[in-house]
Amino acid sequence: MRRVIFGRNLKLTLLRAAVWVVVCVVVFKLLLVHIRVDGISMLPTCPDQSVYWVNRLAYVRNPPQRGDVVAIRFIQTDKAISHLETPGIMLLKRIIGRPGETISFVKGRVLINGEVLDEPYENYEKFPCDWNSAPVTLGPNQYYVVGDNRSMAPEDHVHGECERNQIVGKARL
Amino acid sequence: MKMVLRLVLLAALIAAGVWLWTILFPGPEKIVRERLAQAASEASFQSGENPLVSAARAETLAGFFSTNVELNINLSEHGRHNFAGRDEIIQAAAGVRSAVSSLKVQFPDMNITVGPDKLSAVADVVVQVQAAGDKDYYVQEMKFTFQKIGGDWLITRVETVRTLS
């Protein structure tokens, strides 16, 4: 029985177990974050109560790209340790604007530097949008994020500029 | 081998000592964190709570704030509300208790910055509120300003923060 539980070599089994614990902690605490969607702001891409993984290493080499669905932390912080912590609650949004670009909404369509953005993920028939907003020019570390479901009033939909350090990672859809 | 064991024991002893020190003499950040957790607990209530208990808990909740506290709450769905002083907080707490049968308030994320004088602190907090019957919870980022007054860390200012500018 002892051999079944601990294997032939107890030390080796304990070492293996320790390695697995370290790997699991690193992967599931620091690299991949498990999230559950609560709300309808990312419909139809991410239904309410759906579950996704967020890759925290996605933007180590390359900066976030337009069209990426990202997890965003609420609180801005300069503390290095806080960046390693996984926030309890995050926003799940899509990046539509990159640093230096000018973003505006005209009759529900997104304009980047005055040109209409092609958004194949949008379903305007099911989720009509009539938003209008003044142009906003993003800073050097800012991204413009918004949910896919823009059928509600703009003040009821959390969207706007976020800092690069607020982006936790890229959601794997 | 004996030397290694002694070193390990010494390290464990030092770690236990440091841990005990932080328990007995918590730093301002830890105190503020605990105060916020206690305030969230006092702001929450279950349905069918005794009115006397409710009144006492509203008083306790007000005790977390300074006498000249200012609350500037601006919520897109619920409009702008300003409160000043403990009495208005007690009234607001009573108003909430009469409007909903139960409420669960939590602060899942906090970032606390203690001032250089160690007598003030700012807590950026994610507030999660779920009322009775609501499937979804309401989430709002808020900023709490604390000051050490008469040996107690009291909330002197509360304001809502717009997460994405």
Side-chain angles (χ1 to χ4, degrees):
Chain A
M1 189 64 186
R2 186 178 175 277
R3 195 169 160 178
V4 172
I5 296 170
F6 298 111
R8 282 182 203 163
N9 189 330
L10 177 63
K11 280 183 185 169
L12 201 64
T13 305
L14 287 174
L15 188 69
R16 274 198 201 119
V19 168
W20 274 112
V21 167
V22 170
V23 167
C24 287
V25 167
V26 169
V27 170
F28 296 111
K29 279 276 179 192
L30 300 176
L31 308 184
L32 286 176
V33 181
H34 179 250
I35 58 162
R36 181 171 55 84
V37 177
D38 193 273
I40 58 167
S41 76
M42 272 303 286
L43 282 175
T45 311
C46 306
D48 188 21
Q49 302 303 315
S50 52
V51 172
Y52 299 100
W53 290 98
V54 171
N55 178 6
R56 297 189 72 165
L57 293 182
Y59 302 126
V60 170
R61 283 188 174 183
N62 302 308
Q65 297 298 311
R66 192 187 337 275
D68 287 357
V69 176
V70 293
I72 298 158
R73 68 175 75 243
F74 274 79
I75 300 169
Q76 281 192 52
T77 177
D78 296 327
K79 288 182 187 171
I81 193 75
S82 298
H83 292 298
L84 290 175
E85 286 174 7
T86 303
I89 295 184
M90 291 174 271
L91 294 165
L92 192 67
K93 300 286 172 190
R94 191 182 292 277
I95 293 174
I96 60 165
R98 292 178 298 184
E101 293 179 337
T102 300
I103 318 293
S104 64
F105 284 89
V106 176
K107 292 179 183 172
R109 299 295 183 269
V110 177
L111 267 61
I112 308 286
N113 298 331
E115 294 199 7
V116 176
L117 175 66
D118 179 33
E119 295 185 282
Y121 41 82
E122 282 295 316
N123 184 343
Y124 291 114
E125 285 180 10
K126 205 171 177 185
F127 302 100
C129 177
D130 59 355
W131 294 4
N132 289 293
S133 72
V136 174
T137 301
L138 301 172
N141 285 313
Q142 287 186 320
Y143 291 83
Y144 199 98
V145 294
V146 62
D148 288 354
N149 178 7
R150 303 163 200 164
S151 59
M152 65 284 278
E155 58 270 21
D156 294 336
H157 184 118
V158 178
H159 68 287
E161 305 106 280
C162 79
E163 296 294 325
R164 170 69 183 87
N165 62 15
Q166 280 181 273
I167 298 174
V168 176
K170 182 179 177 182
R172 296 180 65 84
L173 305 180
Chain B
M1 192 66 188
K2 231 177 183 180
M3 191 65 176
V4 172
L5 197 68
R6 278 182 187 166
L7 281 173
V8 169
L9 275 174
L10 185 70
L13 210 65
I14 290 169
V18 169
W19 175 75
L20 202 66
W21 180 269
T22 58
I23 298 290
L24 294 175
F25 308 102
E29 185 175 334
K30 195 174 180 187
I31 294 171
V32 167
R33 213 169 266 276
E34 284 172 2
R35 295 282 290 174
L36 281 167
Q38 289 165 2
S41 173
E42 290 301 330
S44 305
F45 55 89
Q46 296 285 328
S47 59
E49 197 175 69
N50 185 310
L52 285 174
V53 173
S54 297
R57 291 190 69 203
E59 288 271 357
T60 309
L61 178 64
F64 286 95
F65 298 86
S66 68
T67 49
N68 59 346
V69 64
E70 278 182 42
L71 280 80
N72 300 316
I73 312 293
N74 187 6
L75 306 171
S76 60
E77 294 170 22
H78 305 284
R80 183 184 284 273
H81 303 278
N82 295 322
F83 305 99
R86 285 179 175 171
D87 290 341
E88 287 194 16
I89 289 172
I90 294 171
Q91 284 174 15
V96 170
R97 281 167 190 270
S98 61
V100 292
S101 60
S102 71
L103 194 75
K104 190 177 179 186
V105 181
Q106 289 177 298
F107 299 151
D109 295 314
M110 299 179 199
N111 181 45
I112 295 155
T113 309
V114 179
D117 56 357
K118 308 273 184 198
L119 295 172
S120 63
V122 173
D124 293 298
V125 177
V126 177
V127 182
Q128 180 182 325
V129 179
Q130 189 169 28
D134 284 357
K135 189 172 78 74
D136 298 331
Y137 44 75
Y138 188 84
V139 178
Q140 176 66 47
E141 189 180 343
M142 299 184 89
K143 184 180 274 189
F144 291 74
T145 306
F146 280 81
Q147 274 188 353
K148 198 173 183 183
I149 301 167
D152 278 334
W153 283 91
L154 298 175
I155 301 165
T156 55
R157 189 176 172 81
V158 181
E159 56 198 312
T160 45
V161 176
R162 204 176 154 202
T163 299
L164 301 175
S165 47

